[in-house]
């Protein structure tokens, strides 16, 4: 995938999204090994986000700290509390367990971008594997989110921006990552997030696992289908126009980015507002 999709160029400063889990730990090991063996000429950094989930993220960050020493790669850690004034424990205490993953996902994505800028990185790589991408395809189908559906299977997203994201494990099954980590005896954190059992993504995951019993190649076929949807769109007419948030300056296709909308809801005591479809207006939509 790295060679076929031409993910890296010599001289790239690459921030690896490191959570301490199996996917990111295997990604760190693989990228460091390939960079040294085949002289990619890229500079690697570890970038972690502390969501503020006691009993989960604090323990996994200890694993990331060990990875920093084991692989001799510099580590940068950013926290929701410092960036947004709220930890995930604070947010869940206010909104409950429903829709908390929406807040976490939006905040984490922006936090990774901000951290990469601080590291002066020009690319971010994440450990999303084939199973994750297939789940995202089905989630976007269920939500009717066609713009995201046409780009969620890309190996590189945001190519037109100053900070593209790469997914080297696009065609790598989760089971292969687990076996690799076991074979190499890698040090990773295996506990599931405290709040994830309530996540909507879980329904897509269960569905895919059920289908995989009947059709073992369903994950790969789902990714291929997503790619075909991308090629079927008219590239001359972008489905979304990228711009900047009028409040924080973060790149967004809305007037106000989702993170700012969610924060406004938390600050005003109306957290549900940020989740509603009417909360954001596209850049091309008049007020």
């Amino acid at each position: 995938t790295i060679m076929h999709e031409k993910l890296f160029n010599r001289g790239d400063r690459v921030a690896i999204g490191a959570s301490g889990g199996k996917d990111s730990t295997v990604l760190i090991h693989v990228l460091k090994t390939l960079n040294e063996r085949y002289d990619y000429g890229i500079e690697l950094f570890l970038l972690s986000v502390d969501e503020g989930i006691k009993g989960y993220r604090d323990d996994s960050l200890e694993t990331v700290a060990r990875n920093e020493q084991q692989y001799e790669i510099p580590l940068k850690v950013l926290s929701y509390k410092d960036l947004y004034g709220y930890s995930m424990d604070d947010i869940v205490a206010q909104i409950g367990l429903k829709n908390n993953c929406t807040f976490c996902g939006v905040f984490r994505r922006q936090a990774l971008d901000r951290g990469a800028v601080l590291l002066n990185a020009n690319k971010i790589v994440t450990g999303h594997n084939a199973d994750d991408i297939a789940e995202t395809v089905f989630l976007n189908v269920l939500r009717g989110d066609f713009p995201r559906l046409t780009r969620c299977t890309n190996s590189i997203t945001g190519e037109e921006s100053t900070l593209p994201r790469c997914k080297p494990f696009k065609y790598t099954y989760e089971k292969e990552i687990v076996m690799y980590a076991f074979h190499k005896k890698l040090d990773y954190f295996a506990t599931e997030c405290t709040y994830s059992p309530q996540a909507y993504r879980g329904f897509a995951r269960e569905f895919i696992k059920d289908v995989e019993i009947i059709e073992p190649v369903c994950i790969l076929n789902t990714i291929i289908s997503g790619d075909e949807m991308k090629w079927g769109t008219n590239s001359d007419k972008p489905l979304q126009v990228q711009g900047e948030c009028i409040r924080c300056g973060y790149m967004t296709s809305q007037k106000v980015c989702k993170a700012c909308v969610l924060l406004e809801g938390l600050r005003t005591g109306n957290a549900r507002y940020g989740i509603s479809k009417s909360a954001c207006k596209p850049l091309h939509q008049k007020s």
Side-chain angles (χ1 to χ4, degrees), residues 37 42 63 90-91 99 102 126 159 171 183:
R37 183 179 299 171
I42 60 177
T63 303
D90 296 334
I91 294 171
N99 295 317
T102 298
T126 59
E159 290 180 88
Y171 296 112
H183 176 68

Side-chain angles (χ1 to χ4, degrees), residues 110 114 245-250 257 260:
Q110 189 177 112
R114 293 185 184 278
C245 173
I246 60 176
R247 294 185 184 175
C248 69
Y250 180 71
C257 73
C260 285

Side-chain angles (χ1 to χ4, degrees), residues 143-163:
R143 291 168 176 160
D145 194 335
F146 187 68
R148 284 193 174 90
L149 183 60
T150 58
R151 65 174 184 266
C152 68
T153 59
N154 292 355
S155 295
I156 307 177
T157 55
E159 290 180 88
E160 69 287 347
S161 71
T162 57
L163 196 58

Side-chain angles (χ1 to χ4, degrees), residues 50-281:
D50 181 4
E51 298 94 342
I53 305 174
K54 291 183 179 179
Y56 169 69
R57 184 53 72 205
D58 45 356
D59 291 338
S60 70
L61 286 175
E62 293 179 6
T63 303
V64 177
R66 292 196 300 270
N67 291 158
E68 178 188 17
Q69 302 301 318
Q70 293 161 354
Y71 300 105
E72 298 179 335
I73 301 176
L75 168 66
K76 177 71 175 177
V77 180
L78 297 178
S79 73
Y80 283 3
K81 195 75 172 180
D82 292 338
L83 290 173
Y84 309 115
Y86 296 88
S87 68
M88 275 309 298
D89 287 342
D90 296 334
I91 294 171
V92 171
Q94 182 172 332
I95 71 168
L97 290 174
K98 189 175 181 180
N99 295 317
N100 62 83
C101 289
T102 298
F103 286 81
C104 193
V106 171
F107 289 164
R108 188 193 305 112
R109 181 177 181 84
Q110 189 177 112
L112 284 174
D113 285 344
R114 293 185 184 278
V117 170
L118 292 175
L119 290 170
N120 197 28
N122 64 319
K123 284 180 182 173
I124 297 175
V125 292
T126 59
H128 291 96
N129 57 52
D131 299 57
D132 297 327
I133 295 173
E135 290 167 12
T136 303
V137 170
F138 281 109
L139 283 174
N140 288 327
V141 169
L142 292 172
R143 291 168 176 160
D145 194 335
F146 187 68
R148 284 193 174 90
L149 183 60
T150 58
R151 65 174 184 266
C152 68
T153 59
N154 292 355
S155 295
I156 307 177
T157 55
E159 290 180 88
E160 69 287 347
S161 71
T162 57
L163 196 58
R165 288 175 177 244
C166 308
K167 293 177 281 192
F169 289 163
K170 173 180 175 178
Y171 296 112
T172 307
Y173 289 98
E174 183 177 36
K175 63 186 72 173
E176 293 174 324
I177 291 174
V178 172
M179 288 189 290
Y180 184 95
F182 177 78
H183 176 68
K184 294 291 185 179
K185 297 180 174 59
L186 302 185
D187 180 12
Y188 68 92
F189 184 74
T191 303
E192 189 178 20
C193 174
T194 309
Y195 303 130
S196 65
Q198 300 287 337
Y200 187 52
R201 178 175 287 271
F203 295 104
R205 183 177 297 118
E206 283 187 32
F207 173 73
I208 289 174
K209 294 306 177 186
D210 289 341
V211 175
E212 196 175 15
I213 296 173
I214 303 170
E215 183 58 58
V217 296
C218 73
I219 290 176
L220 183 59
N221 286 343
T222 300
I223 296 173
I224 293 173
S225 296
D227 285 337
E228 290 178 348
M229 290 181 192
K230 173 182 62 179
W231 296 120
T233 60
N234 186 343
S235 59
D236 295 331
K237 296 181 179 179
L239 295 172
Q240 290 182 332
V241 179
Q242 289 295 321
E244 292 184 353
C245 173
I246 60 176
R247 294 185 184 175
C248 69
Y250 180 71
M251 56 185 176
T252 178
S253 59
Q254 319 293 333
K255 290 183 178 180
V256 180
C257 73
K258 191 68 174 177
C260 285
V261 173
L262 292 173
L263 283 172
E264 182 183 354
L266 290 171
R267 290 165 182 160
T268 58
N270 185 20
R272 300 293 174 186
Y273 167 75
I275 302 171
S276 66
K277 291 184 178 180
S278 60
C280 299
K281 292 183 179 180

